[in-house]
Amino acid sequence: MKKVCFWGGVLLTAAVAMTSCNEEKATGYSGTNRIYLTAADNNAVITESDATPLEVEVSLTSSVETTTTLTFRLEDDTQELLRLEGNPVTIAAGSKTASFQVISNLKNLLAESIYISVGIDAAQLPAGMELAGTLRIRVNPNPAIPELTEEQKTLIDGYKEKFGIDLNEFLGVMKCTTTLNIPGNGMTNDFSTPKTEEIPGQTIITLSEESTAEQPVLKMVDNPMGLTEHLYRVFRQNTIDDDEYWNSTDEDYASPSNQYLMETIKWTPTSNETFNVKLDGIKCRNITATGADLDILGEAKAYEGTDYETVYSPVVPFEYSFSAWDRQKAILETGDAEMMDAYISGGSAEPSYYLFSYSVDEDGYENGNWIESKGHIDFEKGEMTFQFVMDHYYAGDYTIVHVTYTK
């Protein structure tokens, strides 16, 4: 695995830090009462044309002694796409939880996804309290479903004749439920606790350009496997949001390469970035009138400007587009020596540098927390299922993923 010597020190330090935390818990909490914002189901996504409220859970480090009012606000919402309801929030004496809602104003102005943050009105913040971090909400435009070309329509008709299947039932907008079993033995505090997350969502699926008359191939063009926001959150926790190591100001851990990168491309925890994911090459095999197996593994795509970084394959080959990486790559492609030195030293905004650090065709961690990565279509049930494993730079083991699609 990458950077073995470095991470040996990190693991030792993390162990000491966790021991220290346990000692603190044993003596009781003291200090600033921090405010945490979490989207229900860990799914901070709103579709602009959908007025379904997004529930935001408010939790405090410790309960308040007296009834407390907190006033939240939308940041970066220059077009007033969203509004808050149930705000200000009142937390009763003796409690440390509350909730409010974020709702679309149904303006339908967007051509591409953007992020809007929920922050707090600092002027009205009670003494001794602080916001742990803003909640980033992805606001999507109305789903753009790709129109099939005449060639693709001909292929689908051919599959009906040859196999007795109708792939149209699995194209367009498909609802999904994604379950993540996260191992919890990661290298930073963000990844230290095992947990299970269930994320409801939807994916836009079309017929891939790789399809042939003999083999259908599917392509997920938006929110593949329901994972776009999860992948972005994990990527940020491996980079810009990681104050323990990657973005540390502690001179023992601060990385000159990372600091140079952030300053040069103006990438910060609050910079306005876009992050999107696609997944191509989902091959249908062993096709019958009742079902088909799905081959989801492929080769990871990484920057080809240097052969320094090992690319682990096969993996589930998600394709990432990220605005900060676009800025860095543009500089790299000019031949800038200083940026190349930073990149080689680990100062990278490339998502594929951090996500899927190991091949997934066998148990690379050798902890037994591994399953075969595969999928299946059940034409009789109208259901498509996937299972696979994924990891990342700070992971200590695989996350096991199960996805179920229905219309």
Side-chain angles (χ1 to χ4, degrees):
M1 196 172 184
K2 293 178 279 188
K3 287 73 175 180
V4 173
C5 295
F6 170 74
W7 286 122
V10 169
L11 285 169
L12 178 60
T13 305
V16 172
M18 286 174 21
T19 300
S20 174
C21 288
N22 289 336
E23 289 173 355
E24 273 188 28
K25 288 180 181 177
T27 58
Y29 174 80
S30 63
T32 302
N33 198 351
R34 306 193 81 194
I35 305 162
Y36 297 89
L37 300 178
T38 308
D41 299 317
N42 292 300
N43 194 36
V45 181
I46 289 177
T47 299
E48 195 181 8
S49 60
D50 186 355
T52 302
L54 173 68
E55 196 80 12
V56 177
E57 299 162 357
V58 182
S59 60
L60 309 181
T61 307
S62 59
S63 57
V64 292
E65 296 181 1
T66 60
T67 299
T68 301
T69 299
L70 302 175
T71 303
F72 296 96
R73 66 185 183 189
L74 293 166
E75 301 175 354
D76 308 318
D77 189 11
T78 57
Q79 296 176 290
E80 297 184 348
L81 300 176
L82 308 177
R83 68 181 188 275
L84 303 182
E85 290 198 358
N87 181 59
V89 169
T90 299
I91 301 179
S95 178
K96 60 178 182 179
T97 61
S99 66
F100 61 94
Q101 296 177 327
V102 186
I103 302 175
S104 172
N105 284 326
L106 305 177
K107 290 192 172 183
N108 298 323
L109 300 177
L110 296 179
E112 62 181 6
S113 299
I114 65 169
Y115 286 90
I116 293 174
S117 296
V118 179
I120 200 164
D121 188 342
Q124 299 185 48
L125 191 61
M129 301 182 76
E130 69 176 17
L131 185 65
T134 60
L135 173 67
R136 287 182 304 277
I137 298 174
R138 183 185 182 95
V139 186
N140 290 328
N142 298 338
I145 302 173
E147 286 191 25
L148 296 175
T149 65
E150 290 303 316
E151 182 181 356
Q152 288 172 320
K153 292 176 183 177
T154 299
L155 286 173
I156 290 174
D157 289 340
Y159 304 144
K160 288 180 184 178
E161 184 175 345
K162 184 177 182 65
F163 303 113
I165 63 173
D166 185 3
L167 272 186
N168 283 310
E169 297 177 7
F170 295 89
L171 304 183
V173 178
M174 293 285 292
K175 295 177 183 177
C176 65
T177 300
T178 303
T179 303
L180 305 169
N181 293 308
I182 300 169
N185 55 335
M187 299 173 184
T188 64
N189 289 334
D190 282 331
F191 303 109
S192 62
T193 304
K195 57 185 173 180
T196 298
E197 294 184 5
E198 185 171 283
I199 307 171
Q202 65 181 30
T203 298
I204 297 176
I205 305 175
T206 190
L207 194 67
S208 171
E209 291 81 358
E210 297 178 16
S211 298
T212 67
E214 299 300 318
Q215 183 176 66
V217 181
L218 301 179
K219 180 179 182 179
M220 298 181 175
V221 297
D222 183 74
N223 196 29
M225 303 294 184
L227 283 176
T228 294
E229 287 312 297
H230 176 76
L231 290 168
Y232 190 37
R233 175 157 48 98
V234 170
F235 169 62
R236 287 184 62 104
Q237 288 172 323
N238 275 258
T239 55
I240 201 74
D241 286 341
D242 170 36
D243 294 331
E244 291 182 72
Y245 304 107
W246 200 94
N247 192 17
S248 176
T249 56
D250 186 327
E251 63 181 17
D252 290 334
Y253 299 111
S255 165
S257 297
N258 296 347
Q259 295 299 319
Y260 169 78
L261 171 65
M262 290 187 292
E263 291 170 6
T264 304
I265 67 173
K266 296 182 171 45
W267 182 26
T268 72
T270 58
S271 59
N272 191 10
E273 310 292 348
T274 59
F275 179 88
N276 291 290
V277 188
K278 295 180 181 180
L279 177 61
D280 201 353
I282 302 170
K283 298 177 176 64
C284 299
R285 301 188 188 278
N286 305 319
I287 306 169
T288 69
T290 59
D293 295 328
L294 299 172
D295 183 356
I296 59 174
L297 296 185
E299 182 178 347
K301 294 179 174 60
Y303 180 58
E304 298 178 353
T306 174
D307 59 2
Y308 172 81
E309 177 65 15
T310 299
V311 176
Y312 292 92
S313 292
V315 295
V316 182
F318 291 102
E319 297 178 39
Y320 313 98
S321 60
F322 178 50
S323 51
W325 167 237
D326 289 342
R327 298 196 296 276
Q328 182 183 16
K329 186 164 58 172
I331 298 173
L332 287 169
E333 290 176 350
T334 67
D336 187 281
E338 194 169 7
M339 182 59 81
M340 180 58 75
D341 286 344
Y343 178 83
I344 291 174
S345 300
S348 173
E350 180 182 16
S352 60
Y353 184 89
Y354 303 92
L355 303 173
F356 284 93
S357 300
Y358 253 159
S359 304
V360 301
D361 57 335
E362 60 183 7
D363 188 357
Y365 286 97
E366 299 182 345
N367 292 328
N369 191 44
W370 177 88
I371 58 173
E372 182 183 358
S373 296
K374 62 183 181 179
H376 186 76
I377 289 181
D378 188 320
F379 291 108
E380 293 181 324
K381 288 184 179 180
E383 185 177 86
M384 182 163 57
T385 57
F386 296 93
Q387 64 173 49
F388 57 95
V389 291
M390 57 177 286
D391 75 335
H392 55 87
Y393 199 86
Y394 284 160
D397 206 340
Y398 294 113
T399 290
I400 296 178
V401 185
H402 287 91
V403 188
T404 299
Y405 280 98
T406 56
K407 269 293 189 183

